[in-house]
Amino acid sequence: MMSDLSVKLERRGPVAIATIDNPPVNALGLAVRQQLVRVIEVLEADDTVRAVVLTGAGSLFVGGADITEFDRAAEQPQLPELLERIERACKPWFAAVNGLALGGGAELAFACHYRLVGPTARFGLPEINLGIIPGAGGTQRLPRLVGVENALPVIAENRQIDASGALELGLAETLIENDFVEAAIALATEMSVRPLPTPALALQVTDPGEAFWADATARIRKAAKGASAPLAALEALRLGVDRGAPEGLAFERETFLRLRASDEAAALRYLFFAERSALRPPALKGVTPRRIASTGVVGAGTMGVGITAALLNAGYEVTLSERDGASLERGLKALEAVFSAQAKRKMHTVEEGQTRLARVKGVVGLDNLENCDLVIEAVFEDLALKQDVFGKLEKVCRTDTILATNTSYIDPRRIGEGIAAQERFIGLHFFSPAQVMKLLEIISLPGTAADVLATGFELAKRLGKVPVRSGICEGFIGNRILKRYRVEAEFMVRNGVDFAAIDAAMREFGYAMGPFEMQDMAGLDVSFLNREAARARGEQIPETLGDILVRAGRKGQKTGGGWYDYAPGDRKPLPSAETSHLLAEARTAPKAAEPKEIVARLIKAMADEGRLILEERIADGPEAIDLVEVHGYGFPRTKGGPMFFSYRNAS
Ligand code: 3HC
Ligand code: NAI
């Protein structure tokens, strides 16, 4: 066996076994492709070899092309040629799919003459997540192997095919339950006497008809939310059905290379790597997190309920504490509603929801939190109340229990100043709805122990969240940038720009809603009360346009109007004569602004604030700021985040 290579070749009688061994995910980087070409040449020339088993080392088959190569020009040998040589080989290749076969990995398996699957095998084409389409025949071979109807969801909608699905669809020959490689060798030996099957590209494909395409196009366009790749993937598939595989392949490759070089793909790649690095901050390398089994949440309001749901979904036990029976009952009802909504959205069965809910114990007061490994406080945003809660928690909980606050704005150093063992105190800032939003800001305090910080990151991983460390400043990273964004948007409105035009421009850019629609949805009164409290403390805070609206009773959707008017029970923003009237004096004459100019100004404001945050070392790098904006504030993924966007678009 040649062992220093990333494609290892072994012989077993008439069968050759090629194992792709390129940790961590057996990606098909340049060296692997070069070695595969060599392996093909050697095996084609060797008359004693009757069949080839191709498999992956470890638990994966192949995780795809090597994404780190996508910022450079494609290098020879390229994957499509390599797969074509396998497909045209004069002896059968058996893809022994031992685990995940993604992207180029799935395409490699499709090009083999047979696929044998282990129980954990899965085929997927996640290229659209990276702003590209499959580039090595995936859009052409898969529909010919399993039919257009079964292939489309994999190619353009992120669906995967598991081992049993592969057998049902005829994509795989056999399921191998035990002794995977040995059994694959035995099957390859036995089947090598058969004539070679028709190559996938030469199989017939049936056009499912106009209605199918129309329906698929509408569905995919809607789900894509402005991203280009999903519709391009559909187009490649359809073109191959209409005009045949050779034209389909050429179109696929050209589209793949064009999209690979796009800003959209660069943004999505950047986020792909940033999201992975976020889970492993270099500063915590080698630090072992503490073990968390039982958790406590204090306060069963909006955030407490969401945090509890997130913890239950991740398998934790939760003791949920409220100040009185009625508040607890209300909180537990809200929690039940979260689980029935999750069941309705098919995130789990009704029974599974019940099982998860059974892991929560509702209690009044803090006494029952004594055995928790972690307690997260989510009571009203009130310093004295929070200090009181932590004072009591310190007495009740074990000395090694991690104590966390979910405060949005209050300096956590003040919240925790009464805690004797500062090393166990941390900020865990969730976003609403906490069971859905991916962002978790982890606030490190001067006294927080490294293993407590590491536990925050481990918790985020288990909850499926994207953790970002934040230092201490008002609003931490996200709300501080949000404030700057809103101030800039209001500044434009004061200078005559129509706020509806600002909302429309930001929606067009990719946000689900613009800054004013967002305020109406969340309620203008929250930040108004914050400003009023600061004014009461003697801080000089100028009157905002939002303050004018709140003082007139316009707090947003919940009062039937804020920046916009709303018909009862309807969330559609309508122009408001009252708002125009209320703000008239504070604004200059109407001024038109191009959507591009609006977007550029607002993103520049965010990026400028981001740079200050970096200078102050509140965040660890521009990626951290972009992750906060993408996962906590709806910044469009395809644009990467304000730091990435302003860097790419700097002239
Ligand atoms: N290329 C290069 N590096 C990759 C990679 C890839 N395709 N996939 C994963 N990695 C790296 C990650 O960045 C990470 O690196 P790090 O340790 O330095 O942070 C490491 O591999 C481990 O990755 P994960 O932390 O994500 O490991 P998991 O075990 O959680 O997940 C996985 C494994 C499911 C394979 C996941 O990594 C994944 O989804 N990868 C991307 C798969 C993909 O998109 N494939 C298609 C690529 S495009 C393509 O194939 C084009 C073709 O059509 C021509
Ligand atoms: P909320 O008003 O919905 O809920 C607070 C809950 O705490 C209430 O149910 C109340 O009865 C309970 N409570 C009060 N005193 C208590 C005590 N002594 N013991 C136990 N429970 C007590 O507030 P919300 O929105 O959930 O906010 C909670 C915290 O989370 C605040 O610090 C807020 O700033 C922060 N936060 C809020 C976000 C949001 O979008 N609502 C987002 C992120 C953080």
Side-chain angles (χ1 to χ4, degrees):
M1 192 191 329
M2 297 184 272
S3 61
D4 56 334
L5 297 172
S6 43
V7 182
K8 294 184 173 132
L9 196 54
E10 258 182 284
R11 287 290 303 274
R12 190 71 65 77
V15 177
I17 304 110
T19 307
I20 300 176
D21 186 3
N22 184 27
V25 300
N26 297 335
L28 300 170
L30 179 63
V32 174
R33 297 198 304 277
Q34 284 168 337
Q35 287 169 36
L36 270 176
V37 167
R38 179 89 193 105
V39 162
I40 296 167
E41 280 166 3
V42 167
L43 298 181
E44 281 291 277
D46 187 341
D47 288 342
T48 64
V49 172
R50 288 212 323 260
V52 185
V53 168
L54 177 65
T55 192
S59 58
L60 258 98
F61 178 67
V62 168
D66 185 340
I67 305 166
T68 59
E69 291 180 355
F70 286 6
D71 288 319
R72 308 194 290 271
E75 288 170 292
Q76 302 292 347
Q78 294 186 25
L79 202 53
E81 290 83 32
L82 204 152
L83 302 199
E84 212 182 304
R85 291 176 75 163
I86 291 179
E87 191 168 57
R88 289 203 186 146
C90 60
K91 47 200 83 177
W93 280 61
F94 292 77
V97 182
N98 51 313
L100 272 175
L102 295 180
E107 293 173 299
L108 176 60
F110 301 157
C112 289
H113 303 96
Y114 301 102
R115 283 148 296 278
L116 312 171
V117 288
T120 59
R122 288 182 87 84
F123 299 84
L125 293 170
E127 281 87 344
I128 56 168
N129 298 337
L130 295 167
I132 54 176
I133 68 168
T139 66
Q140 305 303 312
R141 287 193 181 91
L142 188 60
R144 287 171 173 78
L145 286 165
V146 301
V148 172
E149 291 89 338
N150 295 314
L152 180 72
V154 182
I155 291 168
E157 295 177 283
N158 254 327
R159 200 84 55 80
Q160 295 190 348
I161 300 175
D162 63 11
S164 59
L167 289 171
E168 262 169 46
L169 295 173
L171 181 63
E173 291 295 310
T174 309
L175 173 72
I176 304 175
E177 307 245 24
N178 300 307
D179 241 348
F180 189 70
V181 176
E182 290 306 320
I185 295 169
L187 277 163
T189 313
E190 187 189 312
M191 289 165 70
S192 64
V193 294
R194 299 186 195 169
L196 279 175
T198 310
L201 281 181
L203 293 169
Q204 289 300 314
V205 63
T206 310
D207 187 334
E210 198 47 50
F212 172 87
W213 294 116
D215 182 52
T217 308
R219 191 176 67 240
I220 291 168
R221 176 172 288 124
K222 184 158 179 248
K225 293 188 185 138
S228 327
L231 279 173
L234 167 81
E235 203 185 341
L237 164 56
R238 183 166 191 185
L239 195 123
V241 174
D242 287 349
R243 302 202 203 148
E247 272 193 60
L249 273 184
F251 178 83
E252 177 200 82
R253 188 66 186 167
E254 182 196 307
T255 309
F256 165 79
L257 290 172
R258 178 174 55 78
L259 291 179
R260 207 184 80 140
S262 67
D263 283 350
E264 195 169 309
L268 292 167
R269 276 201 297 280
Y270 161 79
L271 289 173
F272 175 86
F273 289 115
E275 281 155 1
R276 276 155 183 82
S277 315
L279 292 164
R280 290 183 289 269
L284 294 174
K285 197 161 191 248
V287 179
T288 309
R290 295 190 188 178
R291 191 178 155 271
I292 302 292
S294 67
T295 63
V297 174
V298 185
T302 308
M303 292 310 290
V305 165
I307 295 168
T308 301
L311 291 166
L312 294 173
N313 283 334
Y316 289 105
E317 310 242 317
V318 187
T319 305
L320 177 59
S321 149
E322 255 296 347
R323 54 185 170 157
D324 55 48
S327 306
L328 179 62
E329 201 177 316
R330 182 180 34 75
L332 290 173
K333 279 226 168 69
L335 191 62
E336 278 172 26
V338 168
F339 279 89
S340 42
Q342 287 182 172
K344 268 202 192 107
R345 290 210 311 279
K346 307 248 184 291
M347 282 173 59
H348 50 63
T349 59
V350 172
E351 296 72 38
E352 173 58 24
Q354 294 301 329
T355 309
R356 294 182 192 186
L357 265 174
R359 286 198 298 268
V360 72
K361 189 169 126 205
V363 298
V364 171
L366 302 172
D367 292 344
N368 292 290
L369 296 165
E370 56 190 355
N371 285 322
C372 293
D373 302 310
L374 163 74
V375 177
I376 303 171
E377 166 278 311
V379 300
F380 301 129
E381 187 77 338
D382 177 303
L383 176 60
L385 173 63
K386 286 185 191 281
Q387 285 177 332
D388 181 58
V389 165
F390 282 105
K392 288 181 179 145
L393 284 175
E394 180 160 52
K395 292 200 187 82
V396 168
C397 298
R398 290 193 324 257
T399 51
D400 62 343
T401 300
I402 296 177
L403 302 178
T405 176
N406 181 49
T407 183
S408 307
Y409 288 98
I410 304 174
D411 186 336
R413 287 169 299 200
R414 299 205 58 200
I415 294 175
E417 65 194 6
I419 299 175
Q422 286 286 316
E423 72 275 1
R424 61 162 155 158
F425 185 53
I426 191 170
L428 292 177
H429 188 214
F430 289 81
F431 289 72
S432 182
Q435 75 280 12
V436 174
M437 297 297 284
K438 289 268 183 213
L439 178 63
L440 179 64
E441 281 182 332
I442 300 186
I443 323 299
S444 56
L445 283 91
T448 308
D451 67 339
V452 171
L453 201 55
T455 311
F457 281 85
E458 188 62 25
L459 177 79
K461 191 172 177 184
R462 174 127 172 230
L463 298 185
K465 305 227 177 274
V466 177
V468 173
R469 188 201 69 85
S470 170
I472 300 168
C473 63
E474 195 186 298
F476 309 118
I477 300 172
N479 282 339
R480 177 168 159 181
I481 293 177
L482 177 66
K483 186 170 166 188
R484 176 77 177 259
Y485 173 64
R486 287 186 175 166
V487 166
E488 187 66 22
E490 271 212 10
F491 180 81
M492 280 194 259
V493 176
R494 278 185 189 276
N495 284 289
V497 181
D498 178 10
F499 57 81
I502 297 178
D503 281 339
M506 296 317 280
R507 256 187 281 112
E508 182 59 32
F509 179 68
Y511 274 92
M513 59 186 96
F516 301 101
E517 295 160 329
M518 159 94 108
Q519 285 179 55
D520 273 2
M521 195 190 74
L524 278 73
D525 50 329
V526 183
S527 49
F528 167 78
L529 290 174
N530 240 333
R531 286 189 293 274
E532 285 290 271
R535 287 174 186 130
R537 292 194 299 268
E539 289 175 37
Q540 291 300 314
I541 299 189
E543 186 82 342
T544 68
L545 299 181
D547 292 343
I548 298 174
L549 296 177
V550 175
R551 288 189 209 287
R554 300 185 64 89
K555 296 181 186 169
Q557 286 184 12
K558 60 185 169 189
T559 58
W563 290 91
Y564 299 91
D565 283 345
Y566 297 88
D570 196 352
R571 290 168 170 229
K572 186 172 181 297
L574 304 167
S576 165
E578 192 186 353
T579 297
S580 305
H581 176 69
L582 285 166
L583 302 185
E585 267 190 34
R587 301 179 63 190
T588 60
K591 192 173 101 185
E594 288 295 317
K596 226 176 144 180
E597 182 195 337
I598 293 172
V599 167
R601 278 191 72 145
L602 288 181
I603 292 179
K604 180 176 181 310
M606 284 192 254
D608 285 350
E609 195 64 36
R611 274 185 280 276
L612 289 178
I613 286 172
L614 288 175
E615 275 167 28
E616 293 167 28
R617 298 184 185 279
I618 300 289
D620 295 327
E623 297 86 354
I625 290 171
D626 287 335
L627 289 177
V628 165
E629 291 306 312
V630 167
H631 289 291
Y633 296 84
F635 195 101
R637 254 189 107 71
T638 48
K639 303 291 195 308
M643 308 309 285
F644 179 86
F645 186 83
S646 59
Y647 177 74
R648 288 283 284 202
N649 292 280
S651 43

